[in-house]
Amino acid sequence: MSIINQCLELVRGEAYYVTYPARPLPQDYWEAKQDPDGLVRDPTGEREMRKEDVRYIADYINARAPGTVLDIGFGLGELLEQIDDKNTCHGLDPSELAVEVAQNWCSAKLRRGVLERGHYPGEMFDVVVANHVIEHVDEPLPFVSEIFNILKAGGDFICGTPNFGSAAARVYGERFRLLHDPTHVSLFTDDSLIRLLRDTGFIIEKVEYPFFGTRFASVDAFESMVRGDAKVSPAFWGSFVTVVARKPDHK
């Protein structure tokens, strides 16, 4: 059974994700590398574009009451840079380059590493963000459980990940572009991610599929989806899902 069909089968059982074997990545994740279209991309030179990609998350956080925010897998700090100074921000990322670059752009308290139990006190944060992160985590269940633990009651977990049950995944199968990242090891669908969050104890507040109004939305993308004959799938609506999940208030 193909990996995409395995993901589609998640709707039939109790599993939350499909394990996909990691492939070696010869450089730091944030160094220049080839994308699925064969273009060599340098994230450090695309900062303004990447900031725009996560602006909707910054807007959501900035609309909340001021609080303490943790960005897990903060990359080059594009989100942290946009969060209002009224918040106290922390960042956690395993990349040495990420820490080096991000500290030039934001005042957050940055830490190199991955989330482990005991890294942060329980109920420390009002918001925890893990955008383009959970698919890189070998053991997503304890990862989500620890996020629930470090969130305050009434706090939000903002989780964004590829949707391997999307239209593009179904049309393109093994040519779905989000299969091409060698560090994507835990593959979710929107349904299975929501189930995991609910079963952990979260209340789902919001589900978004960022596409329209972004740099990815184009006539070419639509036409490629209709034809289904490209070497790799286009970026398309539904290929990425962002879920806002709230830890219930104790009151």
Side-chain angles (χ1 to χ4, degrees):
M1 183 184 295
S2 74
I3 190 68
I4 295 299
N5 283 338
Q6 290 180 53
C7 292
L8 296 177
E9 286 290 305
L10 288 171
V11 75
R12 298 170 60 88
E14 297 181 357
Y16 299 113
Y17 63 95
V18 172
T19 300
Y20 197 50
R23 285 86 74 205
L25 190 65
Q27 74 271 59
D28 186 283
Y29 190 84
W30 294 107
E31 291 178 339
K33 57 182 178 291
Q34 193 174 69
D35 72 6
D37 298 306
L39 303 174
V40 175
R41 308 287 294 271
D42 181 4
T44 60
E46 299 179 339
R47 185 169 195 86
E48 292 305 313
M49 182 171 67
R50 293 173 56 81
K51 281 175 61 177
E52 192 61 32
D53 292 344
V54 295
R55 190 175 302 279
Y56 72 103
I57 298 176
D59 289 344
Y60 181 87
I61 295 171
N62 290 335
R64 287 176 50 98
T68 306
V69 179
L70 172 64
D71 187 2
I72 302 173
F74 58 79
L76 302 181
E78 297 93 342
L79 174 61
L80 288 169
E81 182 186 351
Q82 300 181 78
I83 297 177
D84 290 345
D85 291 339
K86 64 184 181 181
N87 297 282
T88 300
C89 292
H90 297 252
L92 181 67
D93 197 290
S95 165
E96 183 175 353
L97 178 60
V99 175
E100 179 183 333
V101 172
Q103 66 187 359
N104 296 320
W105 293 96
C106 69
S107 58
K109 299 173 185 177
L110 304 179
R111 182 174 182 177
R112 184 184 178 194
V114 297
L115 183 66
E116 296 177 349
R117 192 161 187 81
H119 260 183
Y120 301 101
E123 301 201 347
M124 176 177 177
F125 298 103
D126 296 282
V127 179
V128 175
V129 181
N131 191 47
H132 290 279
V133 172
I134 198 171
E135 65 272 19
H136 301 272
V137 176
D138 290 323
E139 298 291 341
L141 274 63
F143 175 77
V144 172
S145 179
E146 181 59 12
I147 289 172
F148 189 89
N149 178 55
I150 63 178
L151 269 172
K152 297 178 184 178
D156 284 337
F157 175 31
I158 304 173
C159 184
T161 193
N163 175 15
F164 290 92
S166 65
R170 293 166 186 264
V171 170
Y172 274 87
E174 302 291 329
R175 293 174 291 144
F176 183 46
R177 68 172 44 246
L178 293 167
L179 279 175
H180 288 253
D181 188 320
T183 63
H184 284 182
V185 295
S186 297
L187 312 185
F188 288 82
T189 67
D190 48 359
D191 171 77
S192 69
L193 175 63
I194 289 169
R195 281 196 292 110
L196 169 57
L197 296 174
R198 282 181 171 152
D199 289 351
T200 302
F202 286 104
I203 298 168
I204 305 304
E205 289 291 313
K206 191 174 185 180
V207 180
E208 291 194 12
Y209 301 89
F211 178 72
F212 294 107
T214 74
R215 62 188 170 101
F216 302 107
S218 68
V219 173
D220 287 344
F222 176 79
E223 291 178 346
S224 178
M225 279 292 293
V226 172
R227 294 192 310 270
D229 60 357
K231 183 178 179 181
V232 64
S233 73
F236 198 68
W237 183 87
S239 294
F240 191 81
V241 59
T242 304
V243 180
V244 179
R246 182 158 296 170
K247 182 174 181 177
D249 199 312
H250 294 323
K251 298 177 182 179

